[in-house]
Amino acid sequence: KLWYKNPFFRAAAAVILVAGTSVATYLMVNNKMTIRELYSDNYSPLTLDVIERSGNFVSDSITAGFIAYQEARYADCIKILGSLAVPDSVAAPVYLVRGLAYLEQEKAAKAQEQLSLAAKDTTSGVVDHARWYLALSYLATNQPEKAKYWLDLLVKEDATYKEKAIQLLNQMK
């Protein structure tokens, strides 16, 4: 008698097929990324393109802090930018870069303080960056609802990070 005509082998093959399909379905449905994985998957350092030099102490110090960030000297960046009395006109970029430096040091709670300050200044050119990285910092500290707030705001306001925010919100579902 041929093995594939044996009722025992047919039943065993059916059980294996059903079990395999069930396991595959379970793995596909439950293959959701953790909040921390979402952060890691979406985070990349911001590249600072424009640095202005004006020749005064505060401006030169801000420039030095930004250069320290670009050179991955994050502790120096935080120290330099934290020691300044910064005029309101450049406060948001300074808060942003300090927040990013804290993120690079995996100090998300401190990053949130700085990024929140930068995100409040809606007149600055860095508000979209601040909101995006603030959302990511909340993912880093496992606070998805707070991250969702900032991501929704990026989508609503048609921000630079709108498409990334939509994609991340979909991943969070």
Side-chain angles (χ1 to χ4, degrees):
K1 206 172 186 181
L2 297 173
W3 68 270
Y4 57 85
K5 290 188 178 184
N6 185 324
F8 171 75
F9 286 116
R10 285 184 173 185
V15 167
I16 290 170
L17 182 63
V18 169
T21 303
S22 297
V23 169
T25 302
Y26 173 81
L27 290 175
M28 284 189 286
V29 169
N30 292 308
N31 192 20
K32 192 173 180 180
M33 295 176 83
T34 66
I35 298 301
R36 181 69 184 167
E37 289 170 334
L38 287 173
Y39 164 74
S40 297
D41 195 46
N42 286 279
Y43 177 81
S44 62
L46 181 65
T47 302
L48 303 179
D49 294 326
V50 178
I51 297 178
E52 295 182 18
R53 300 175 191 258
S54 73
N56 68 45
F57 174 76
V58 172
S59 180
D60 289 346
S61 296
I62 291 170
T63 299
F66 286 8
I67 290 171
Y69 173 81
Q70 287 176 311
E71 294 176 349
R73 294 183 293 116
Y74 304 116
D76 291 342
C77 171
I78 291 165
K79 183 178 178 182
I80 293 166
L81 297 179
S83 68
L84 301 174
V86 179
D88 288 345
S89 61
V90 293
V94 169
Y95 293 138
L96 171 69
V97 174
R98 280 178 63 194
L100 294 173
Y102 278 123
L103 271 180
E104 287 293 333
Q105 290 188 323
E106 298 184 8
K107 296 178 180 176
K110 288 187 176 191
Q112 289 163 3
E113 294 171 18
Q114 298 298 307
L115 295 169
S116 292
L117 293 169
K120 287 179 185 175
D121 186 352
T122 58
T123 62
S124 79
V126 300
V127 67
D128 289 350
H129 297 303
R131 290 173 175 175
W132 171 251
Y133 286 98
L134 184 56
L136 293 180
S137 74
Y138 283 122
L139 292 178
T141 57
N142 201 28
Q143 299 178 68
E145 289 306 313
K146 289 183 178 181
K148 187 178 180 311
Y149 168 82
W150 291 103
L151 294 169
D152 284 336
L153 192 59
L154 287 166
V155 172
K156 178 182 155 193
E157 295 191 1
D158 201 27
T160 305
Y161 291 92
K162 178 181 178 178
E163 293 305 316
K164 284 184 169 187
I166 290 169
Q167 182 182 3
L168 185 50
L169 285 165
N170 287 335
Q171 289 177 308
M172 292 172 69
K173 289 181 182 178

